[in-house]
Amino acid sequence: MSGCPKRVLNGPCGGMKPDGSCELGDRQCIFSEKYPSKVVLDHGFRFRPEIRRRQSFTKLLAEVEERAVWIAEIPPSAKAFDDIELLRGLSFTALSVPENPLARLHIEPAVFTQLLKERLGCELMIHLTCRDLSRLAIKSRILAMGLCGLEHILALTGDHPKLGREESAPVFDLDSIRLIYLARIMSDYGVDELGNKLQLKPRIQVGAGLNPYLPLDIEVSRTLRKLEAGAEFFVTQLIFDAEPVKRALKKLRESGVNVPVFIGFLVAEDEVIRKTAEIIGIPGADIPRDPEKLIEEYLETVEELRRLYGPVGAFISTLGRIGNFKLWDRAFRSYFMSS
Ligand code: SF4
C-alpha cells in the first residue's frame, strides 16, 4: 500500500495511535478513515484455502477456558537468562518471548525460547514479526519451531526500526494478517503459500495482537479479519485503564467472537509504567501508584472480563525484571487459587 511505511495491506497496524495518527510521526495512518473489510493477500499467495477453526491442542488454550491463567513475558537477554531460575515454581502456564521488542536489539528469540523450554519444560509462545524477516525466513523459523515442539506463535507486524533508533533496513514483506494466514496454511495443510509441500507440518497455535485503545469499529474489523486469517487467540496491548478493554471485549462477544484473550499488564515501578503509557500513546491514564493496588486492579479486571466475555487470562510483562513476577504470582495465587 503506497504511503504506509510498513507496506501493510491489512491495515491499520497496531502502531496506529488512539487519535488515528501513525506511530512514525504526526501524519494520519492511511487506514484511519478507510480499511479493508476482508483479508487481503498479495500475488505471492498462490495457495489460498479457507481456514477453519480447529480444536485447541495446548495446555494454555485448554486451561484458559476453565480458569484464569497467566503468561510471563521474558524479553530475551543474557540477564533474563541468568535470572531464569527465579521463575521455577511460579504459577504461570506459559512463557512468551518477544522479538527485538520496540525495535531494540535483543538475543535471537527462537534459540532463547528453545533454551527456556529445555530449562523449565513449560509451554512457550514466540513473537514472530514482519519487521526483520522475509517470508522465506519466516517460513524457515516456523518449521524450526515445529521441529523443536514450540507451541504458540504471536503474529505481529512489529515496530518500525526507526522507533528503536535502529538503522537496520525494515523488511515488512508481510503484515500480521498475511503472517497469521501463512502460519495456519503451514500448520493445517503442511504446505506453504506457494502450494509447496513442507518437510514437516508444524503443530503450532497462532495468536494475534489486539489493541483496545484503537477506535472500536477499527479494532473490531481488525480482529474479525485476523480470525478470518486463522487467529486462535489474542494478546492485548498493555492495558492501563480497564474501560477500553471491557468495551472492546463486550463488542467482540456481541459479534460472536469467543476465542481466548490474554490481557497485557505491566508490573513495574511507577515511573516505568507512566513512561510506557506515554510511549504507547495513553498519557495521563488513571493508574494507581501503589504496586499492590495496581495488581489488585489488574486481577479484578481479569475476573470481570471472564464474566463479561469468557476465556480471559493475563499476559504479564515486567520489561525484563524477572524478580517482579514473584509479586504478581503471590497476588494471583491469593486471588484465583486460594479456595
Ligand atoms: S500506523 Fe501502521 S498501518 Fe498506519 S500508516 Fe503507520 S505503519 Fe502504516
Side-chain angles (χ1 to χ4, degrees):
M1 170 71 66
S2 79
C4 171
K6 295 184 187 171
R7 302 197 290 146
V8 165
L9 300 181
N10 296 281
C13 76
M16 191 178 99
K17 296 274 171 92
D19 64 2
S21 62
C22 174
E23 66 178 358
L24 287 169
D26 295 335
R27 65 180 177 166
Q28 282 295 104
C29 168
I30 60 166
F31 296 101
S32 61
E33 301 289 335
K34 196 158 178 273
Y35 42 86
S37 58
K38 303 291 286 176
V39 170
V40 180
L41 299 174
D42 60 69
H43 66 276
F45 282 79
R46 292 188 214 140
F47 179 60
R48 299 181 173 204
E50 186 188 343
I51 302 294
R52 296 209 177 85
R53 188 159 178 185
R54 54 183 181 172
Q55 190 72 35
S56 301
F57 46 79
T58 64
K59 183 177 166 204
L60 176 70
L61 299 190
E63 288 196 351
V64 73
E65 298 282 349
E66 306 298 325
R67 63 180 180 90
V69 297
W70 64 284
I71 303 166
E73 186 191 49
I74 316 292
S77 70
K79 170 81 174 88
F81 195 67
D82 281 348
D83 290 345
I84 219 65
E85 286 301 318
L86 296 174
L87 290 169
R88 210 176 278 285
L90 301 192
S91 56
F92 60 85
T93 304
L95 299 180
S96 184
V97 177
E99 181 176 41
N100 293 324
L102 294 172
R104 292 190 183 133
L105 178 64
H106 284 68
I107 289 171
E108 202 282 324
V111 172
F112 191 84
T113 306
Q114 184 56 22
L115 288 172
L116 291 186
K117 190 152 195 74
E118 284 169 17
R119 282 280 285 273
L120 298 172
C122 57
E123 288 196 348
L124 269 303
M125 178 185 300
I126 181 167
H127 304 202
L128 209 45
T129 73
C130 307
R131 177 188 57 231
D132 306 325
L133 303 177
S134 68
R135 66 189 75 189
L136 176 61
I138 284 175
K139 288 188 288 186
S140 166
R141 185 170 286 180
I142 293 173
L143 285 182
M145 290 181 61
L147 187 64
C148 293
L150 301 176
E151 297 85 0
H152 311 88
I153 287 172
L154 181 59
L156 303 167
T157 301
D159 300 311
H160 196 283
K162 277 188 188 161
L163 279 188
R165 299 200 183 81
E166 283 284 333
E167 294 298 325
S168 114
V171 179
F172 296 116
D173 189 15
L174 298 171
D175 53 38
S176 63
I177 289 184
R178 282 176 288 162
L179 171 54
I180 294 163
Y181 187 70
L182 173 60
R184 282 298 304 270
I185 293 174
M186 293 176 71
S187 185
D188 291 21
Y189 293 90
V191 295
D192 67 10
E193 84 290 5
L194 300 168
N196 294 329
K197 191 167 182 331
L198 303 170
Q199 48 193 284
L200 63 95
K201 198 168 164 183
R203 192 169 154 77
I204 286 172
Q205 308 242 235
V206 183
L210 194 154
N211 186 350
Y213 290 108
L214 290 185
L216 197 51
D217 54 339
I218 293 183
E219 195 47 23
V220 169
S221 163
R222 268 168 32 105
T223 306
L224 294 178
R225 283 179 278 144
K226 287 175 179 179
L227 287 165
E228 182 193 338
E232 299 175 291
F233 65 92
F234 289 92
V235 174
T236 75
Q237 172 79 276
L238 291 172
I239 296 302
F240 297 99
D241 153 17
E243 283 316 308
V245 71
K246 284 185 204 162
R247 216 167 30 240
L249 291 205
K250 183 166 181 290
K251 184 74 185 167
L252 288 171
R253 191 71 186 151
E254 286 164 8
S255 307
V257 179
N258 60 358
V259 301
V261 178
F262 298 91
I263 313 297
F265 296 120
L266 179 57
V267 177
E269 295 65 33
D270 183 55
E271 66 278 15
V272 176
I273 289 185
R274 268 152 235 288
K275 184 97 195 291
T276 310
E278 201 176 313
I279 290 171
I280 62 177
I282 316 142
D286 188 16
I287 308 165
R289 288 187 181 266
D290 172 8
E292 288 186 4
K293 174 83 186 110
L294 179 69
I295 290 177
E296 181 80 11
E297 282 197 6
Y298 290 163
L299 293 163
E300 285 167 6
T301 300
V302 171
E303 187 179 39
E304 195 176 342
L305 289 174
R306 285 190 68 83
R307 271 199 306 271
L308 181 83
Y309 173 85
V312 169
F315 181 95
I316 303 303
S317 174
T318 61
L319 299 181
R321 294 160 179 85
I322 303 292
N324 285 4
F325 287 116
K326 282 203 167 167
L327 197 62
W328 164 266
D329 179 68
R330 206 177 316 123
F332 181 87
R333 282 174 193 269
S334 130
Y335 197 94
F336 282 116
M337 300 168 75
S338 56
S339 55

